[in-house]
Amino acid sequence: MAVIPLSKVDAYAGHPEKKLTLYMLMLGFAALLLGTFFGPLQSFNYGGLDLYPYLKPLIQSYYQGLSLHGVLNAIVFTQLMAQALLVYFPARELGYRPNMALAWVSWWMALVGLLIAAIPLLLNAASVLYTFYAPLKAHWAFYVGAAIFVLSSWVSAYLVLQMWLRFKRENPGKITPLVTYMSLIHWLMWFLASLGLVVEVAFFLIPWSFGWIEGVDPLLMRTLFWYTGHPIVYFWLLPAYVVAYTILPKLAGGKLISDPLARLAFLLFLLFSIPVGFHHQFADPGIAPGWKFIHTVLTMMVAVPSLMTAFTLAASLENAGRARGGKGLLGWIRALPWNNPSVLALLLGLIAFIPGGAGGIVNASFTLNQAVHNTTWIPGHFHLQVATLVTMAVMGTAFWLIPHLTGKPLVRPGLAWASMWLWFIGMFIMTFTLHWMGFLWGIPRRAHIAESPAAMEAYRESAAWMVMNIVSGIILLVAAVMFFYVIFATALQARRDFSEHQEIPFAEAISKPEGNSLALMTERVGFWFGVAVVLILVAYGPVLFQMFTNMNPVPGMRLW
């Protein structure tokens, strides 16, 4: 009888969804690799070091690099990670195989859309930043590619909805398992949240870029973008929360404290994540202060599920630490498995998320926002949220998920561990520096200050902080090289070892949902979806009606 080498074994035979998940992950990491290359260049810019002239003719300007950095990291990478994790996890939890034909359609849509949008980005024909504010005008291929890419996420949402409906049919009266419930809420929230971006691109920006309409209204475009632009943060964040709630406790050696509390937190994100966009438009004319105040209040409501998450995760980690022998008031912290790179990544990300959440309260405050508006405080806050917890949660997950998907052991675990410490340290220095540069000196964001002697002279008092920006950029570049080596070396090696990572380490809950009135209340998904729609109509309806009926279209322009 012939012996088949492990390197020839089809790791995906029993679970073809594994291959799809791997393809989503690796496409996302490829986007992150290219986008991350421009990250240190942004840090160097705010350190007074301009390297962009040396990249010509490949990269024409600072703003082309910034557009590539924002689009690839904040839109492409994050969406692909959500499509990878929050289709695969519920499928494995339920024991269902998703509709594989549709699943591959979603991947091909993402790939084709990305390639179409990448062409004008790389040719400097779409240097409109990741917010693509009109009247900045990009080549039509950028908008068409972005639309195809975003719509691929709707296919992923449908796959999870399909699996959930099948579960409810086959298990009448039974409470939805936690990972599936969280994934469903995430995709329902994203469907509602993405409507603003879809309307903006499909009905305005694409016709405008083709010349079918002469102009677009900048205020309406900004409003439609921020209808999606703030809830997209929770689209990025909730997959990290899914991992933190349902996998981190098990990896740390403990259990989730409360299943019902986790469900309630996600339900509140569905309700309050979307009608909050005007806090990004405090300085915009044309929106009455009363409506801005309503969005401020609703934004503060989002802090409630975040604080619930902080409590639940801290309690779950304490349970894990004490199960591992931790004694005394804080001994459980030291007892956690800090030597595990997957655990370390999430722990460090959660630590960084604490000051990030506090900064978010400042951004959403009607008056405090004026002190930091359009300064480097904003990208400092943004990176403290997305580039720490969100990105590090995905990085940490990849350290065990890629071996699980492929049967290939993690290459250089020590290097993976070190990359997470360096990423955390570099990101913390950079975000801390950007916050203070914006708050103390009002240094503007999205500004190519390194090319301007006048700007460097004006901000000379911040010289020490600028040096810290350069240092952080170097540290982050080293961390990125280490991380990507580990990931791609693991995925591309021939060696296979199926003895580990056979199952996804879903955590058991101490407080279970069965018979719990709170959990039963959260199961009324259709009702709560309707409540979310009503909140959106109340918070946005009158203002959007006024904007749509009083449009002031302007022609497009290209500045770089």
Side-chain angles (χ1 to χ4, degrees):
M1 180 174 165
V3 177
I4 303 174
L6 279 176
S7 60
K8 301 295 185 181
V9 172
D10 185 357
Y12 319 110
H15 294 281
E17 64 273 17
K18 282 187 173 183
K19 188 173 186 177
L20 172 77
T21 304
L22 181 66
Y23 275 46
M24 285 285 190
L25 279 175
M26 301 315 291
L27 182 60
F29 282 133
L32 182 66
L33 174 62
L34 179 58
T36 299
F37 169 77
F38 295 96
L41 298 180
Q42 311 304 320
S43 292
F44 296 159
N45 170 65
Y46 280 104
L49 178 61
D50 185 13
L51 298 183
Y52 275 98
Y54 300 101
L55 298 181
K56 291 182 178 180
L58 186 62
I59 301 298
Q60 295 294 323
S61 73
Y62 163 84
Y63 292 98
Q64 184 185 6
L66 186 55
S67 297
L68 283 161
H69 179 67
V71 170
L72 291 174
N73 288 7
I75 296 179
V76 176
F77 165 70
T78 51
Q79 179 182 306
L80 287 168
M81 294 304 103
Q83 289 179 272
L85 302 183
L86 298 195
V87 174
Y88 183 67
F89 285 174
R92 293 307 303 269
E93 181 185 49
L94 296 175
Y96 293 162
R97 180 174 297 174
N99 184 320
M100 292 308 299
L102 281 180
W104 281 109
V105 165
S106 70
W107 187 83
W108 281 107
M109 286 178 65
L111 176 63
V112 171
L114 173 58
L115 293 176
I116 293 173
I119 294 171
L121 276 170
L122 294 171
L123 295 178
N124 196 34
S127 298
V128 293
L129 312 185
Y130 102 97
T131 50
F132 42 90
Y133 286 153
L136 291 178
K137 190 175 185 179
H139 189 276
W140 62 263
F142 173 72
Y143 300 123
V144 170
I148 295 171
F149 181 81
V150 171
L151 288 176
S152 74
S153 68
W154 285 15
V155 181
S156 297
Y158 176 75
L159 291 172
V160 174
L161 178 64
Q162 195 176 48
M163 288 189 289
W164 177 70
L165 290 173
R166 175 184 169 187
F167 173 82
K168 298 303 283 185
R169 284 195 307 270
E170 295 178 354
N171 302 272
K174 191 172 182 180
I175 292 178
T176 307
L178 182 59
V179 173
T180 304
Y181 182 82
M182 289 177 157
S183 303
L184 175 69
I185 294 298
H186 167 270
W187 287 116
L188 291 177
M189 184 279 293
W190 172 239
F191 172 75
L192 291 176
S194 63
L195 291 174
L197 194 61
V198 169
V199 170
E200 179 191 8
V201 172
F203 294 98
F204 292 98
L205 298 183
I206 289 177
W208 180 50
S209 65
F210 276 114
W212 298 339
I213 56 177
E214 293 185 1
V216 293
D217 184 327
L219 179 60
L220 176 59
M221 296 304 99
R222 284 171 62 86
T223 302
L224 289 173
F225 177 85
W226 284 117
Y227 171 97
T228 299
H230 191 82
I232 202 175
V233 173
Y234 304 106
F235 175 64
W236 305 330
L237 179 61
L238 293 188
Y241 275 6
V242 170
V243 174
Y245 270 112
T246 66
I247 292 175
L248 176 60
K250 179 69 173 290
L251 291 177
K255 298 179 180 180
L256 175 65
I257 286 294
S258 175
D259 176 298
L261 204 57
R263 293 170 189 269
L264 179 60
F266 267 64
L267 179 59
L268 292 176
F269 279 120
L270 171 64
L271 297 179
F272 297 116
S273 292
I274 301 170
V276 298
F278 290 163
H279 84 256
H280 286 269
Q281 298 177 267
F282 283 150
D284 286 7
I287 302 173
W291 287 109
K292 293 176 181 178
F293 179 75
I294 289 172
H295 280 233
T296 294
V297 173
L298 290 170
T299 303
M300 297 301 176
M301 291 298 297
V302 184
V304 175
S306 293
L307 291 171
M308 292 169 57
T309 298
F311 168 78
T312 306
L313 293 182
S316 300
L317 289 170
E318 181 177 359
N319 170 266
R322 297 202 182 282
R324 293 173 59 88
K327 305 294 183 183
L329 183 64
L330 299 176
W332 61 270
I333 298 176
R334 188 172 58 254
L336 293 171
W338 293 88
N339 61 334
N340 182 328
S342 293
V343 175
L344 176 69
L346 277 157
L347 293 178
L348 295 179
L350 288 167
I351 290 170
F353 199 70
I354 296 171
I361 298 297
V362 173
N363 298 345
S365 299
F366 207 63
T367 50
L368 294 177
N369 180 273
Q370 302 306 313
V372 299
H373 179 69
N374 268 348
T375 70
T376 55
W377 172 289
I378 303 303
H381 165 75
F382 185 80
H383 283 80
L384 199 53
Q385 304 289 79
V386 180
T388 52
L389 177 57
V390 173
T391 304
M392 295 183 77
V394 173
M395 289 173 164
T397 300
F399 292 147
W400 64 262
L401 183 57
I402 292 177
H404 164 81
L405 296 172
T406 63
K408 299 177 180 181
L410 183 68
V411 169
R412 303 289 296 274
L415 200 62
W417 181 86
S419 72
M420 292 300 93
W421 271 114
L422 286 177
W423 187 272
F424 171 77
I425 293 168
M427 199 60 69
F428 204 84
I429 294 173
M430 185 194 77
T431 54
F432 180 78
T433 301
L434 289 175
H435 273 85
W436 284 108
M437 288 172 66
F439 181 67
L440 296 177
W441 291 282
I443 296 177
R445 66 170 176 157
R446 293 175 162 179
H448 193 186
I449 65 170
E451 73 161 357
S452 170
M456 296 307 298
E457 175 64 21
Y459 303 127
R460 66 182 183 277
E461 292 183 4
S462 67
W465 301 95
M466 288 187 174
V467 171
M468 290 175 67
N469 255 319
I470 294 176
V471 171
S472 70
I474 295 171
I475 294 173
L476 286 166
L477 181 60
V478 173
V481 170
M482 294 165 65
F483 169 76
F484 286 117
Y485 169 77
V486 170
I487 290 302
F488 287 105
T490 298
L492 296 176
Q493 67 179 313
R495 180 187 169 207
R496 293 187 189 272
D497 180 2
F498 292 96
S499 62
E500 297 183 6
H501 305 294
Q502 290 292 310
E503 300 296 332
I504 299 178
F506 291 134
E508 181 184 350
I510 295 175
S511 175
K512 299 184 183 299
E514 287 77 16
N516 184 284
S517 59
L518 180 60
L520 291 171
M521 180 267 293
T522 62
E523 276 291 290
R524 302 178 63 189
V525 173
F527 171 77
W528 295 116
F529 184 81
V531 172
V533 171
V534 171
L535 279 173
I536 293 168
L537 291 175
V538 170
Y540 268 108
V543 179
L544 284 176
F545 176 79
Q546 182 185 29
M547 290 183 182
F548 274 108
T549 54
N550 295 276
M551 288 192 287
N552 297 290
V554 299
M557 62 179 68
R558 177 177 171 181
L559 301 180
W560 307 292

